[in-house]
Amino acid sequence: MMKTGFVLIVTVGLLLTSCNSRPSLEKYFVDNTEDKNFIALDVSPTILNVDDSKLSPEQKHALQSFDKMNILAFKVNDKNKSQFAAEKAKVDLILKDKKYQQLMKFASGKEGASVSFVGDGETIDEFVLYANKKESGFAVVRILGKDMNPTSIMSMLSILQTSQIDIAQLKPLQELLYK
């Protein structure tokens, strides 16, 4: 009898937990990785191809805080326009969650972009770049790391300006965008 009660409590707990789960970008990426209308890439810090000896201490710390980038892109065509609208609405809804704090937003008619982050302002777990264009599609980029902060992001931008980016890691994305 006690075993049956325990199983019932665990089952009800799992049901309540699963019903309360909100959509997240992580789940969205996982759910759409295999969809033929999407391209998914995981990019490592080696893409930057940077000479560590030429970096300032702040830049070295910023580079060490960068773990990886996840990229998910949807390329719109004549056959998937309705799916594009539905998928774009899903991403828009996910990014409205309070956990994604918007830093900037740009919009002009048929295109837009935003930069958001997840964290408390002092410690940032994830930066999210989102861009969409009605004629082309959209892309979501998750920049994941440890001990990231706003200063680290500014240092990363200076690293990007001098890096020799390994374009081979982005080849699948280029193929999608230029087909």
Side-chain angles (χ1 to χ4, degrees), residues 23-84:
S24 70
L25 279 181
E26 184 176 16
K27 182 170 179 1
Y28 186 79
F29 272 60
V30 170
D31 290 347
N32 291 293
T33 298
E34 300 298 321
D35 186 314
K36 65 180 178 355
N37 290 306
F38 286 90
I39 186 159
L41 293 172
D42 289 327
V43 181
S44 71
T46 59
I47 191 173
L48 299 177
N49 203 12
V50 175
D51 180 358
D52 286 350
S53 67
K54 295 182 179 178
L55 298 178
S56 71
E58 294 83 17
Q59 290 174 319
K60 286 180 184 178
H61 180 268
L63 190 59
Q64 290 169 350
S65 71
F66 171 47
D67 282 338
K68 66 179 175 177
M69 247 187 322
N70 302 130
I71 302 170
L72 187 68
F74 184 100
K75 174 111 171 131
V76 71
N77 60 42
D78 290 337
K79 296 177 184 174
N80 67 8
K81 285 184 180 182
S82 62
Q83 183 184 359
F84 166 72

Side-chain angles (χ1 to χ4, degrees), residues 120-137:
D120 62 14
E122 293 295 318
T123 304
I124 296 170
D125 301 316
E126 161 183 358
F127 273 94
V128 178
L129 310 173
Y130 171 53
N132 66 76
K133 192 170 187 179
K134 192 173 183 179
E135 299 84 31
S136 304

Side-chain angles (χ1 to χ4, degrees), residues 107-122:
S108 65
K110 298 178 181 180
E111 56 189 65
S114 67
V115 178
S116 304
F117 72 92
V118 177
D120 62 14
E122 293 295 318

Side-chain angles (χ1 to χ4, degrees), residues 39 41 71-73 139 141 169-178:
I39 186 159
L41 293 172
I71 302 170
L72 187 68
V141 179
Q169 287 192 45
L170 297 177
K171 191 166 181 72
L173 188 60
Q174 288 176 319
E175 290 171 4
L176 173 78
L177 295 175
Y178 300 112

